[in-house]
Each structure stands twice: as structure tokens, then as C-alpha cells.
Amino acid sequence: MGGGPATGPGRLAWDGRLRALITGAIRQSRFSREEIAERMTLASGDAITRAMLDAWTAPSKNGHRFPLQLLPAFCDAVESQEILKDALAMLGARIATAEDLAYAEIGRLHVEGQKTADREKALRILLEVKR
């Protein structure tokens, strides 16, 4: 993961990288492949099997691509957002946590407060000039 968006030909090719990310997330998960498949099934309402997980992670199974509509269920099942973070990083973006959003709101309020203070100061100066 870099600091900015990927550049160059094939810059957004993600198949091999996605397979590796899915494999890594499964390995790092506290759940077995069978448990992950079951958790995905419960979360998505679609029947997911270990064989499907195996096909989505095997480099030799090029025709078996991970379905995007299952990404939230997969992230939930393995308790990781690394795949989402990687996809966003390719575009030069990132996931904002609730804490990030709170800090951003504090910053916005600070800037608004400074603008208000500056406007008040300008109005006071205007009133002084008119006296």
C-alpha cells in the first residue's frame, strides 16, 4: 500500500493481489475456512462454501473471481477491513474511522470559529472608523 493512487498501465489490476489479500485475511482470522464460509452465508444470505473460498484464493482458478457483493460479508466474517483499505489506497483514499471524523468535525468547527472571529473583528474595526 502506497501513499497515493497507483499509476501506470494495469495500475488497478487487482485479481492476483485480491486473491493474496483474501488468503492473508483467512490465515490471520481466528476462524477456519469452514467457519468463515458459514459466517458469510449468515451475513449475506447466499450459500458460501469452503470450496468457493478455495477457488477464490487459488491462483490456478483464474475463472473463479471473488464476487464484489460478498466483500462486506467477507470482511465481517474475518473481522478485517484490510481488503477495503487496500482497494481505497489504490485510489489514493482511505477509510475514515469514527475518531477521524470527530477530529475532522473539530477542525471544521475551529475554522468556522476563526472565520466568525475574523468577521467580528472586521465589523468592530468598521464601527470604530465610523465614530
Side-chain angles (χ1 to χ4, degrees):
M1 269 195 293
T7 58
R11 70 188 193 283
L12 299 177
W14 203 39
D15 184 60
R17 189 168 168 159
L18 177 59
R19 288 175 192 273
L21 288 165
I22 293 170
T23 300
I26 291 170
R27 283 188 184 137
Q28 292 178 359
S29 174
R30 61 189 175 105
F31 302 106
S32 69
R33 284 180 177 251
E34 290 80 7
E35 290 169 321
I36 292 168
E38 183 179 324
R39 290 169 56 85
M40 287 180 68
T41 296
L42 289 172
S44 70
D46 294 329
I48 309 299
T49 65
R50 179 197 168 121
M52 293 166 79
L53 286 174
D54 292 344
W56 294 330
T57 57
S60 61
K61 301 279 188 175
N62 202 20
H64 295 84
R65 298 197 179 213
F66 186 84
L68 180 60
Q69 72 268 19
L70 295 177
L71 186 57
F74 178 80
C75 290
D76 183 67
V78 297
E79 299 176 337
S80 172
Q81 296 178 346
E82 291 308 310
I83 293 174
L84 292 173
K85 290 176 183 177
D86 187 81
L88 290 171
M90 290 176 75
L91 300 171
R94 70 182 181 103
I95 294 174
T97 64
E99 184 179 16
D100 294 333
L101 295 174
Y103 279 120
E105 179 69 5
I106 289 168
R108 187 187 65 74
L109 291 171
H110 176 74
V111 168
E112 279 183 13
Q114 189 61 49
K115 286 180 182 178
T116 300
D118 291 347
R119 180 70 179 137
E120 180 182 348
K121 184 178 178 181
L123 289 170
R124 288 184 184 278
I125 291 171
L126 180 66
L127 290 174
E128 288 296 319
V129 169
K130 288 190 173 186
R131 284 189 186 178

